[in-house]
Amino acid sequence: MKKKLLATVGAVLGLSLLLTINAPTSTKANSNLLLASVEWVQAQLSPLQTKVTSLEKQLAAQDATIKQLQKAVAEGGNVVVTPPTTEPSTETPAVVYTTTSAKVHSGATRNYKVLSTIAANKGLTVIGQHKGADGVWYRVEVSSTVKGWIFSNDVSTTKPSEFIPSKVVTKQATNVRKGATTNYNSLETVAKGSTLTYLGSFKNANGETWYNVQTPKGTKGWVLSTLTEVK
């Protein structure tokens, strides 16, 4: 009987010890699960909070602009709105100028065939742009029949003080004359908007500036500066 009682007490104590050991483990698991849930919720809310902050800034800027306009209207003065901050423009420039003797290639890497070599301080009309592995390349118009690619490091978008024109564009139908006055005969008449290759310039005794040019047909002659524009 005594042995049976001791066995029963031992069993109860063993069960109590087992429950004591298992209880913290279950509680720890539940805590970890709760913590993971909180972290997941925070991860989902973080992008939303960023968007809300951005929207709040935009609304604040718009509100400031509205108040500025209301004040200007109330005072009867001119409306002056502070322009918003913008990112630098990445648009293709209309014209680039060679900073050194530069090569125009048939493709947008230096491995392509060289179509033309352009002297420094020459302007070239840009008709396209490509961002390659080595940087930005511009597709330029060397002449009415020659178009190719020039590397951005060899040119600048700022017109140099010692700029040398590379072409002449007519502002109206223009006579290409044999000499630098209107007394000379016309060799060819070119239409408005024609692009001529610039060869040089001359100021005659009348104070007129004439450009020595070559037409797409190969005719070499002189055009009056007031009828054209150098680029």
Side-chain angles (χ1 to χ4, degrees):
M1 183 69 179
K2 185 177 181 180
K3 290 182 179 180
K4 186 176 180 179
L5 179 60
L6 289 173
T8 303
V9 171
V12 173
L13 289 174
L15 180 60
S16 299
L17 180 60
L18 181 62
L19 290 174
T20 303
I21 293 173
N22 289 338
T25 303
S26 177
T27 302
K28 184 177 180 180
N30 291 336
S31 298
N32 289 339
L33 179 61
L34 179 60
L35 180 60
S37 300
V38 171
E39 290 176 348
W40 181 85
V41 171
Q42 289 176 340
Q44 302 305 308
L45 289 177
S46 182
L48 295 176
Q49 290 172 343
T50 301
K51 291 180 180 179
V52 170
T53 301
S54 177
L55 289 173
E56 287 176 343
K57 289 181 179 179
Q58 292 179 22
L59 288 173
Q62 291 176 357
D63 185 57
T65 300
I66 291 171
K67 288 180 179 178
Q68 188 178 1
L69 290 170
Q70 289 174 336
K71 182 180 178 181
V73 171
E75 295 176 352
N78 294 327
V79 177
V80 180
V81 179
T82 303
T85 302
T86 57
E87 294 294 326
S89 175
T90 57
E91 293 182 358
T92 302
V95 181
V96 292
Y97 304 92
T98 52
T99 55
T100 183
S101 179
K103 290 178 171 52
V104 177
H105 298 262
S106 60
T109 73
R110 296 192 190 277
N111 296 326
Y112 282 92
K113 176 184 176 182
V114 175
L115 301 177
S116 180
T117 300
I118 310 298
N121 302 319
K122 291 277 191 176
L124 295 167
T125 299
V126 179
I127 56 178
Q129 178 176 311
H130 171 71
K131 188 173 182 180
D134 55 348
V136 176
W137 285 75
Y138 297 119
R139 188 161 188 255
V140 296
E141 186 179 77
V142 179
S143 68
S144 58
T145 57
V146 179
K147 299 174 179 62
W149 296 87
I150 195 166
F151 192 42
S152 58
N153 284 7
D154 297 333
V155 297
S156 171
T157 55
T158 302
K159 186 175 181 179
S161 56
E162 62 274 25
F163 168 65
I164 301 172
S166 61
K167 63 184 179 181
V168 177
V169 179
T170 56
K171 295 189 287 187
Q172 62 184 64
T174 305
N175 289 313
V176 179
R177 299 184 180 275
K178 191 174 182 179
T181 72
T182 54
N183 295 328
Y184 286 93
N185 293 331
S186 174
L187 300 174
E188 184 183 337
T189 300
V190 293
K192 177 182 178 181
S194 297
T195 299
L196 314 173
T197 302
Y198 176 89
L199 301 176
S201 64
F202 174 75
K203 182 174 285 190
N204 64 20
N206 299 324
E208 299 171 333
T209 298
W210 287 71
Y211 299 129
N212 188 206
V213 298
Q214 181 174 339
T215 71
K217 293 181 179 180
T219 303
K220 293 182 180 180
W222 296 85
V223 292
L224 187 60
S225 63
T226 56
L227 306 179
T228 60
E229 179 182 4
V230 292
K231 292 185 177 180

